[in-house]
């Protein structure tokens, strides 16, 4: 034990001069720049662990607000091994999503784990691959998927909801969203392997926000896959990760809110019953049915405002750029904390209140951006909307639920994750007489 302490002490002592030299060279190199306020901190580490702790203790919004209060909406720090500028607020959102000197850059961990997917490509390669995905996910294509989504939701509910007194929502909904995206991307033949894939993709999703060091038992090491992947496989993985995780978070937290918002649940149910009453027995939902779910989508939008699946995103400067009089050197990362505005009382009245009716009015520009913006608008936003509406249609019409643990909190891991997975008690809903049977002719 004493020998180990001596070795560790010697290692630390040998590293101190190197760190000091690195700090000196770094400060001298950037002395000509008018950098934003703040500090890069210790090389490589910087504020990484502080931010990760905030994410995992559900204090990330306060972490950002404290930093903005101290330094303003523009500040520097080091995150995940890179010098980074934090930008926040509507003006920053507009700047980020319209500046050609910034390219979306994912963490080193994501680039390593997912490969050459739309999540990591830039420039002409991005335009080519994104164009292909947008063709695959454009509204007229998503229209064709509604029947598959309907079939998958019904099958899933029969297997995992019907006849049960309780379920844990998040892992159950993950099975559903993975089943939907796999049936569309990989085809019906993927059905036997979907259950096995579910755990793998959850592990991969958790590994994205981690230090890219392959040490046994770390998140990054668990997320590394051993397959040799071609570009098409990389993009299939990227699409599945994005569609699977974000939609499962949205549906899970809609269920969480509706458990306690009786009046809102009644309005959603009324809307869904009115759609069902005009359908024949066994008929699947259609694109037109989904288009009628206007109030239910407002509930989804409010859920995305209060619990955004993606809090922000990284970008990299392709040249020296200037913002509000400050310089951001070429090659630096920019962290766009676009969701900070979601809980800002300047833009949303009583932001902590869950109020879907706020979306009956126009939202100030660049204040609500759950799907990003500009050329980086999420190509799967329409897909997510439709699968969420189809799932909620059958869930609110067939069940009522009550949270087992009312005090359960959630963390970002990196997506919002209820601490216990959101266990609920279930009971079947007694349908109104005029909705219990459908028209047969």
């Amino acid at each position: 034990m004493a020998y180990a302490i001596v070795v560790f002490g010697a290692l630390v002592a040998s590293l101190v001069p190197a760190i000091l030299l690195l700090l000196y060279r770094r400060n001298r190199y950037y002395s000509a720049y008018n950098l934003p306020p703040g500090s890069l901190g210790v090389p490589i580490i910087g504020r990484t662990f502080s931010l990760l702790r905030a994410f995992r203790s559900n204090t990330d919004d306060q972490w950002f607000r404290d930093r903005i209060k101290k330094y303003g909406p523009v500040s520097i720090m080091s995150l995940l091994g890179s010098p980074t500028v934090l930008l926040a607020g509507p003006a920053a959102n507009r700047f980020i999503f319209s500046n050609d000197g910034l390219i979306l850059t994912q963490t080193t961990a994501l680039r390593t784990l997912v490969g050459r997917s739309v999540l990591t490509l830039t420039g002409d390669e991005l335009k080519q691959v994104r164009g292909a995905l947008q063709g695959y996910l454009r509204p007229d294509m998503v229209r064709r998927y509604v029947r598959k989504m309907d079939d998958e939701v019904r099958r899933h509910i029969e297997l995992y909801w019907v006849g049960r007194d309780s379920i844990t929502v998040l892992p159950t909904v993950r099975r559903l969203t993975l089943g939907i995206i796999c049936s569309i991307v990989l085809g019906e033949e993927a059905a036997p392997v979907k259950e096995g894939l579910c755990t793998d993709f959850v592990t991969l999703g958790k590994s994205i926000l981690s230090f890219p060091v392959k040490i046994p038992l770390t998140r990054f090491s668990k997320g590394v896959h051993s397959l040799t992947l071609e570009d098409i496989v990389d993009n299939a993985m990227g699409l599945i990760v994005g569609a699977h995780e974000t939609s499962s978070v949205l549906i899970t937290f809609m269920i969480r809110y509706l458990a306690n918002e009786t009046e809102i649940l009644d309005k959603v149910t009324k809307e869904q019953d009115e759609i069902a009453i005009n359908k024949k027995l066994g008929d699947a939902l259609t694109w037109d049915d989904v288009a009628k779910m206007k109030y239910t989508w407002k509930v989804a939008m409010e859920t995305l405002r209060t619990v955004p699946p993606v809090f922000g995103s990284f970008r990299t400067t392709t040249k020296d750029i200037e913002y509000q009089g400050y310089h951001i050197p070429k090659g630096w990362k920019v962290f766009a904390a676009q969701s900070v505005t979601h809980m800002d009382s300047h833009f949303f009245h009583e932001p902590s209140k869950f109020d879907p009716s706020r979306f009956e009015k126009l939202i100030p520009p660049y204040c609500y951006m759950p799907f990003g913006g500009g050329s980086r608008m999420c190509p799967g936003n329409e897909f997510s909307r439709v699968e969420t509406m189809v799932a909620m249609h059958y869930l609110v019409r067939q069940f009522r639920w009550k949270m087992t643990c009312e005090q359960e909190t959630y963390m970002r891991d990196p997506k919002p994750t209820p601490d216990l997975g959101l266990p609920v008690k279930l009971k079947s809903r007694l349908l109104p007489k005029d909705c219990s049977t459908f028209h047969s002719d």
Side-chain angles (χ1 to χ4, degrees), residues 372-389:
S375 63
R376 276 292 183 175
M377 175 73 75
C378 174
N381 62 334
E382 191 66 16
F383 185 97
S384 176
R385 181 181 74 88
V386 175
E387 73 170 329
T388 299
M389 295 298 93

Side-chain angles (χ1 to χ4, degrees), residues 250 254 257 264 267 293-308 339 341-344 347-371:
L250 173 55
M254 284 184 74
Y257 277 120
I264 295 174
K267 290 181 180 179
M293 301 178 186
K294 299 185 184 300
Y295 183 77
T296 308
W297 181 238
K298 288 185 177 69
V299 175
M301 293 174 71
E302 180 70 341
T303 304
L304 289 168
R305 183 188 69 83
T306 55
V307 191
S339 297
T341 55
H342 287 193
M343 299 300 288
D344 192 322
F347 313 116
F348 295 98
H349 180 63
E350 296 183 306
S352 60
K353 180 181 179 181
F354 190 81
D355 180 14
S357 67
R358 70 175 77 246
F359 288 97
E360 294 171 1
K361 302 176 182 178
L362 289 177
I363 303 300
Y366 298 99
C367 293
Y368 178 74
M369 308 187 75
F371 296 108

Side-chain angles (χ1 to χ4, degrees), residues 52-100:
L52 290 179
R53 282 196 300 271
F55 277 141
R56 290 166 188 165
S57 63
N58 194 27
T59 58
D60 47 284
D61 185 73
Q62 190 59 50
W63 190 95
F64 284 107
R65 293 191 183 284
D66 289 344
R67 187 169 186 86
I68 293 168
K69 183 178 180 180
K70 183 176 182 179
Y71 296 112
V74 188
S75 63
I76 62 171
M77 55 185 163
S78 181
L79 283 180
L80 297 172
S82 299
T84 303
V85 175
L86 170 69
L87 298 182
N93 289 345
R94 181 175 183 176
F95 174 79
I96 288 164
F97 289 109
S98 61
N99 194 301
D100 59 5

Side-chain angles (χ1 to χ4, degrees), residues 113-159:
L113 296 171
V114 179
R116 290 169 46 80
S117 83
V118 71
L119 298 177
T120 60
L121 294 177
T122 60
D124 292 337
E125 288 183 312
L126 169 64
K127 291 179 182 177
Q128 182 180 10
V129 174
R130 183 179 175 83
L133 284 179
Q134 284 179 323
Y136 193 69
L137 295 172
R138 65 181 187 266
D140 61 306
M141 289 296 291
V142 175
R143 182 190 297 262
R144 304 180 188 181
Y145 308 148
V146 177
R147 178 57 187 261
K148 278 191 174 183
M149 292 180 184
D150 187 281
D151 289 344
E152 192 66 36
V153 169
R154 292 195 198 197
R155 184 197 68 82
H156 169 87
I157 287 176
E158 283 295 323
L159 283 174

Side-chain angles (χ1 to χ4, degrees), residues 78-373:
S78 181
L79 283 180
L80 297 172
S82 299
T84 303
V85 175
L86 170 69
L87 298 182
N93 289 345
R94 181 175 183 176
F95 174 79
I96 288 164
F97 289 109
S98 61
N99 194 301
D100 59 5
L102 293 169
I103 56 174
L104 187 70
T105 305
Q106 301 295 353
T107 63
T108 302
L110 179 60
R111 292 196 302 273
T112 304
L113 296 171
V114 179
R116 290 169 46 80
S117 83
V118 71
L119 298 177
T120 60
L121 294 177
T122 60
D124 292 337
E125 288 183 312
L126 169 64
K127 291 179 182 177
Q128 182 180 10
V129 174
R130 183 179 175 83
L133 284 179
Q134 284 179 323
Y136 193 69
L137 295 172
R138 65 181 187 266
D140 61 306
M141 289 296 291
V142 175
R143 182 190 297 262
R144 304 180 188 181
Y145 308 148
V146 177
R147 178 57 187 261
K148 278 191 174 183
M149 292 180 184
D150 187 281
D151 289 344
E152 192 66 36
V153 169
R154 292 195 198 197
R155 184 197 68 82
H156 169 87
I157 287 176
E158 283 295 323
L159 283 174
Y160 300 107
W161 294 70
V162 173
R164 297 179 184 248
D165 296 326
S166 63
I167 64 162
T168 304
V169 174
L170 182 58
T172 307
V173 172
R174 277 175 172 162
R175 286 193 186 98
L176 169 60
T177 57
L178 183 68
I180 290 173
I181 191 64
C182 282
S183 66
I184 291 171
V185 174
L186 304 179
E188 296 300 326
E189 60 272 17
V193 298
K194 281 186 290 191
E195 288 299 315
L197 286 173
C198 190
T199 300
D200 293 336
F201 276 107
V202 170
T203 301
L204 179 61
K206 288 184 176 182
S207 305
I208 287 170
L209 196 63
S210 61
F211 273 110
V213 180
K214 193 174 180 181
I215 300 174
L217 302 181
T218 63
R219 287 189 170 202
F220 178 77
S221 182
K222 291 177 181 178
V224 173
H225 49 75
S226 59
L227 299 175
T228 301
L229 300 173
E230 299 296 335
D231 286 356
I232 188 65
V233 179
D234 287 338
N235 281 284
M237 287 183 61
L239 181 59
I240 291 171
V241 168
H244 160 51
E245 280 287 296
T246 54
S247 295
S248 62
V249 168
L250 173 55
I251 295 170
T252 295
F253 280 88
M254 284 184 74
I255 290 172
R256 185 175 187 261
Y257 277 120
L258 292 177
N260 296 316
E261 299 285 351
T262 305
E263 184 177 342
I264 295 174
L265 175 58
D266 288 345
K267 290 181 180 179
V268 170
T269 304
K270 180 181 178 182
E271 181 174 77
Q272 300 303 333
D273 281 347
E274 288 174 352
I275 291 169
I277 199 173
N278 293 314
K279 302 189 71 65
K280 295 180 181 179
L281 180 63
D283 275 1
L285 290 170
T286 66
W287 177 267
D288 291 338
D289 293 329
V290 173
K292 296 174 184 176
M293 301 178 186
K294 299 185 184 300
Y295 183 77
T296 308
W297 181 238
K298 288 185 177 69
V299 175
M301 293 174 71
E302 180 70 341
T303 304
L304 289 168
R305 183 188 69 83
T306 55
V307 191
V310 179
F311 190 87
S313 58
F314 283 96
R315 279 162 171 73
T316 300
T317 56
T318 58
K319 58 184 179 183
D320 288 354
I321 62 175
E322 185 176 331
Y323 177 70
Q324 293 190 353
Y326 296 113
H327 297 133
I328 306 177
K330 177 182 178 180
W332 276 37
K333 298 291 187 294
V334 171
F335 185 76
Q338 65 250 28
S339 297
V340 167
T341 55
H342 287 193
M343 299 300 288
D344 192 322
S345 60
H346 291 94
F347 313 116
F348 295 98
H349 180 63
E350 296 183 306
S352 60
K353 180 181 179 181
F354 190 81
D355 180 14
S357 67
R358 70 175 77 246
F359 288 97
E360 294 171 1
K361 302 176 182 178
L362 289 177
I363 303 300
Y366 298 99
C367 293
Y368 178 74
M369 308 187 75
F371 296 108

